[in-house]
Amino acid sequence: MATLPYQVAAEQLASNEEQWTAYESTGNFVALAGPGSGKTKVLTTKLARIANEDVEDPRGVACVTYSNECARELKRRLATLGVKPSRRVFVGTVHSFCFQHIVHPFAELGGLGVKKPIRVATHDEQDTCFGRGVANAISVDENPRKWRFTCDNYRRIHLDREAEDWYGSDKRAARIIEEYEKQLRSFGLIDYDDMVLLGLRLIEKHDWVRHALRAKFPVLVVDEYQDLGVPLHRLVLSLCFRGDEANSRLFAVGDPDQSIYGFTGARPGLLKELSVRPDVESVTLRLNYRSRQDIISASEVALGETRGYESANEDVGVIDFHYCKEGLAAQGKYIADTLIPAVLDSGVATSLGEIAVLYCTKNEGDVIADEAASAGLEFVRIDNNAAYPKTPLTRWLEECAMWCSLKGRAGSPSMRSILSDYLAFNRTLSSERSRLDAMHELVACLRGLGDGDSSFHSWLSPLADSCLRSHLSADPTMKQETKTLDKLLAASEPDGKLENWTVARFGGQGGTPDHLNLMTLHSSKGLEFDVVILFGMDQGILPGYRDTSAESKREPRRLFYVGLTRARHEIHMTFSGWRDTPWGKKKDGVSEFVVELKKKLDDSSR
């Protein structure tokens, strides 16, 4: 009998006792996984084993994670193990899981007052409904922007509308949320957070919903558990740990030290609580296959706590500090003109694609993007001021553009993957005939489009008209992606940001060896590079100027830790000791995290 791909991968886990323990687990299991510890390899290999050995057709396994980017990487890795998303294997965000497998099939039966067909509100529709909610709950003169963050956070933490403390913490926020949701329902809409919140209510309220989900998915796999917050934790407790019920089995991985999404409701302590339950087996993955020991040691200094992680590599790493007294623009120019060429000349990074410049916000992104462009460097930019948003649709379009550019040559995306993702943009295709027709139409269109040298607009426009508009508009959950497509088309027209882009350049935005990586520290999570450059490491930027207490600095410190642990060989940090603000120059000094780290390294070298 032939050895399956996941079995070959499993053989590579056997030499690591902790990884092998996770792979061999048979009950509820939590892997606390340090940076670079191979947690994604463990999770995907284990999931492949579950799908092949533990769960019989027609039952399956569900794997939920934090973001579309995480889901994309999991799907890519699973494909190499012979596992592809199907009716038996769900791989996606917790939001898509709740919508697809709980809210959509059960909301009407569960008495939630959500009309079918269920439509997901666009950003504009959300803003309209929220504005009316604020007006009804407080005053027509109240600015909705003042309340949006507060209400979003309140809604993700206070989940029980019938509980005594629903109004207790912030009565006005609670009333705004109630009015906002009334407005959404009056238009037959739900929003992004509703997907999880309504799904959780259905699971907790109805035992028949729990039974149906457990029958469909007897095993639940959770990636990046520390980022998924209270609703996901309660969902897990309901499906996997509910009294004497026939529960689903849990396999979860995560790292509380890398929890950097507190503003979305993430609670890293929940993973620690789960790992010490008597009915859960737990292990810590301590061996780091990514970073050199000097980088690992420096990252623990930055974290402020010792974890005992060890490098699987024998050579040492480089940690360097670069003072640029003239400010942020001077830091950017130094990186683009001096530091990156030096790194490439040294051979530490084999290409631009193995270098990442990480920063805190889109404001720093504007600066480094301008300097990189002036230096003639091609780059991929991921932040809120990028040329276009990174959504499932635009990521898919990047793959299509790359396929057209390479025409099946080495490095070309898989047409099978492109077709699978295309079908996922329209779940109303219920028959096999309609699905085949949609796939044939797309293949014919892509084959007839231009190659990598064609203008991006001349490539995108016919693709949008012949396939995408009709395909997306048929699914009521894809309305926001239709708007994204319109914005992308507008940006590619004359005088748009992408006016001069070619198909190859757009396809390269998915990441190629020829493109420098510019991204926020948040966006870098889960990625790794030969060389990492931390840009704008000044007090007031990291930690932010509002972060003045020890408690408020915990998450920024973890963010700094995440940035350091992206590097394999070298870390470089640039700073000026001051920053420009709307209120003038602020001379708050170098980031206290950098100061602490530099002092520790200087002391240890004496």
Side-chain angles (χ1 to χ4, degrees), residues 114-222:
V114 180
K115 302 174 185 175
K116 281 196 171 183
I118 301 173
R119 286 203 307 116
V120 180
T122 65
H123 299 319
D124 291 341
E125 288 171 331
Q126 290 179 44
D127 289 344
T128 298
C129 291
F130 189 78
R132 292 180 179 180
V134 172
N136 292 344
I138 300 181
S139 166
V140 294
D141 298 322
E142 189 76 6
N143 184 355
R145 292 182 182 178
K146 171 185 171 184
W147 285 96
R148 193 58 194 259
F149 177 82
T150 299
C151 290
D152 285 348
N153 199 42
Y154 195 93
R155 195 170 171 221
R156 293 165 186 152
I157 296 173
H158 297 79
L159 307 181
D160 302 313
R161 306 302 170 83
E162 292 79 25
E164 292 182 1
D165 67 343
W166 168 243
Y167 291 110
S169 178
D170 191 332
K171 186 174 182 178
R172 292 197 296 174
R175 293 185 65 83
I176 291 172
I177 292 166
E178 292 174 342
E179 290 295 330
Y180 167 57
E181 290 178 349
K182 285 181 184 178
Q183 290 295 321
L184 285 173
R185 304 298 179 264
S186 70
F187 292 102
L189 300 171
I190 67 171
D191 69 1
Y192 190 66
D193 283 336
D194 271 327
M195 294 180 184
V196 178
L197 298 176
L198 294 177
L200 179 61
R201 286 178 210 168
L202 285 166
I203 286 175
E204 292 187 333
K205 184 177 180 181
H206 300 293
D207 57 359
W208 54 270
V209 174
R210 296 193 298 275
H211 296 332
L213 277 172
R214 290 170 184 148
K216 190 172 187 178
F217 300 117
V219 182
L220 178 64
V221 177
V222 183

Side-chain angles (χ1 to χ4, degrees), residues 69 72 379-382 388 390 394-399 401-402 501 504-513 515 517:
E69 289 297 303
R72 183 170 177 255
F379 58 84
V380 176
R381 180 178 178 185
I382 306 177
Y388 58 90
K390 296 288 187 179
T394 59
R395 280 299 201 187
W396 177 82
L397 284 168
E398 289 169 355
E399 292 196 350
M402 184 60 70
W501 281 34
R505 183 175 181 184
F506 178 75
Q509 296 302 299
T512 74
H515 287 68
N517 299 283

Side-chain angles (χ1 to χ4, degrees), residues 479-499:
K479 194 170 181 180
Q480 184 61 48
E481 289 286 33
T482 303
K483 288 183 173 292
T484 298
L485 177 62
D486 290 337
K487 291 178 180 178
L488 193 60
L489 275 165
S492 70
E493 292 176 347
D495 298 325
K497 288 183 178 180
L498 313 182
E499 174 187 9

Side-chain angles (χ1 to χ4, degrees), residues 5 45 84 107 118 143 151 153 172 193 290 293 334 338 376 385 454 495-496 532 563 569:
T45 308
K84 296 179 175 63
I118 301 173
N143 184 355
C151 290
N153 199 42
R172 292 197 296 174
D193 283 336
R290 175 192 304 155
Q293 188 61 52
Y334 172 75
T338 303
N385 274 3
S454 303
D495 298 325
V532 166
H569 300 290

Side-chain angles (χ1 to χ4, degrees), residues 464-478:
D465 292 340
S466 63
C467 293
L468 284 178
R469 289 197 186 283
S470 58
H471 190 73
L472 293 173
S473 62
D475 191 324
T477 69
M478 290 290 113

Side-chain angles (χ1 to χ4, degrees), residues 219-347:
V219 182
L220 178 64
V221 177
V222 183
D223 180 38
E224 303 290 3
Y225 197 103
Q226 76 282 348
D227 289 330
L228 289 162
V230 177
L232 180 276
H233 186 65
R234 282 180 40 175
L235 185 149
V236 165
L237 293 180
S238 291
L239 291 180
C240 304
F241 301 96
R242 194 163 180 119
D244 296 328
E245 296 182 10
N247 292 298
S248 294
R249 172 177 142 209
L250 175 71
F251 184 88
V253 299
D255 180 7
D257 292 335
Q258 295 186 68
S259 179
I260 55 175
Y261 293 100
F263 59 91
T264 67
R267 296 293 181 269
L270 297 176
L271 178 58
K272 293 181 179 179
E273 290 178 15
L274 191 65
S275 69
V276 298
R277 286 180 61 107
D279 48 359
V280 172
E281 185 181 0
S282 179
V283 71
T284 299
L285 306 182
R286 298 188 184 278
L287 195 60
N288 187 318
Y289 294 91
R290 175 192 304 155
S291 303
R292 277 45 189 172
Q293 188 61 52
D294 286 359
I295 293 174
I296 295 170
S297 299
S299 68
E300 292 193 355
V301 171
L303 186 63
E305 297 183 41
T306 300
R307 293 288 181 256
Y309 296 137
E310 296 180 0
S311 176
N313 304 284
E314 294 182 357
D315 55 325
V316 297
V318 171
I319 303 162
D320 210 351
F321 304 88
H322 306 269
Y323 172 57
C324 303
K325 66 177 181 179
E326 298 301 324
L328 205 60
Q331 292 180 44
K333 183 173 178 58
Y334 172 75
I335 290 170
D337 293 348
T338 303
L339 188 51
I340 289 175
V343 165
L344 291 172
D345 288 344
S346 71

